[in-house]
Amino acid sequence: MQNRNTIIGLVAALIVVGIVGYFIGHRTAGRRTDSSIYNNKGAATAVSQSANRSSLVADLEAKLRENPDDTDVIQTLADTYFSTKRFDDAIKLYKQLSVINPGDVDLNNEIGLSLYYKGQSEEALKYIDEGIKKNPYHQRIWLTRGFILAYGVGDLKEAAKAWEKARVLDPASNVGKAAADYLVQIKKEAGNN
């Protein structure tokens, strides 16, 4: 039983790492990445280089002090805080952006994920459900809802419903495929019990 729990824990950890990487990559893919945000040093690639992250954070924080209303800098800094596990800082900036862009469901998703990683799954679900009310056809937020329900709350039945919703919205997309993978995984886990 101990070996099985260890294996399940490792699989869950690998899934978490993969989904976080996907979320950050998906979220940053559509944003402006010109070097003006990064002090004209072309540091956009530094987001993925951990050795340069503290310098990037300092540069972004300086840019934000210069222009506190620059939503591109706020977003990039929030995503960088998230990727470096500075969840309180990320939440603060995501919330600031959600005031500016109240219809942006991705921000509900980011706040929810940040709260989940802080161990506040119930609070995270409030933001996720608020995002679903804004747009019930937003596929990624359904995937996140399932993730938090399964791994934060332990409710596999409701998680499966959320993942099924994410899957059917667009089965061929990366999110749809991830949802299908989660559904297969929990069916395997249920079969082993």
Side-chain angles (χ1 to χ4, degrees):
M1 186 67 166
Q2 182 67 18
N3 260 351
R4 183 176 171 275
N5 288 339
T6 301
I7 291 169
I8 290 172
L10 289 172
V11 169
L14 290 172
I15 291 171
V16 168
V17 170
I19 203 165
V20 168
Y22 167 77
F23 284 145
I24 291 171
H26 174 76
R27 183 72 177 159
T28 60
R31 280 201 312 275
R32 189 180 88 182
T33 57
D34 66 306
S35 59
S36 65
I37 297 173
Y38 305 103
N39 201 17
N40 294 320
K41 295 182 181 177
T45 57
V47 172
S48 64
Q49 299 171 357
S50 62
N52 295 327
R53 282 196 177 150
S54 62
S55 174
L56 175 62
V57 167
D59 288 347
L60 289 168
E61 289 172 339
K63 289 283 186 193
L64 191 57
R65 282 190 297 276
E66 291 171 18
N67 186 358
D69 298 324
D70 189 329
T71 57
D72 289 330
V73 173
I74 297 169
Q75 182 71 60
T76 303
L77 183 56
D79 291 342
T80 303
Y81 283 152
F82 181 92
S83 69
T84 57
K85 299 179 182 178
R86 291 178 57 179
F87 300 117
D88 286 325
D89 294 325
I91 291 167
K92 179 182 173 188
L93 293 181
Y94 289 137
K95 285 182 177 181
Q96 182 180 344
L97 286 169
S98 71
V99 170
I100 297 166
N101 300 311
D104 188 343
V105 176
D106 283 322
L107 294 170
N108 288 81
N109 196 73
E110 311 312 346
I111 294 167
L113 279 172
S114 298
L115 287 165
Y116 163 78
Y117 286 116
K118 287 183 57 180
Q120 299 174 357
S121 296
E122 295 296 333
E123 182 72 12
L125 285 171
K126 290 178 185 176
Y127 282 92
I128 297 301
D129 290 342
E130 180 183 302
I132 289 170
K133 286 179 186 172
K134 291 177 187 177
N135 182 358
Y137 302 102
H138 190 279
Q139 187 181 30
R140 193 164 64 99
I141 204 158
W142 284 104
L143 183 73
T144 301
R145 187 173 201 283
F147 178 78
I148 294 170
L149 285 166
Y151 299 106
V153 178
D155 188 342
L156 294 181
K157 182 178 178 183
E158 289 300 312
K161 289 178 184 177
W163 287 330
E164 182 60 23
K165 177 72 173 179
R167 188 192 66 75
V168 299
L169 284 170
D170 185 359
S173 71
N174 287 338
V175 173
K177 291 174 184 174
D181 289 345
Y182 278 124
L183 288 166
V184 168
Q185 181 63 35
I186 64 169
K187 285 179 184 176
K188 284 182 184 176
E189 288 177 20
N192 289 330
N193 287 331

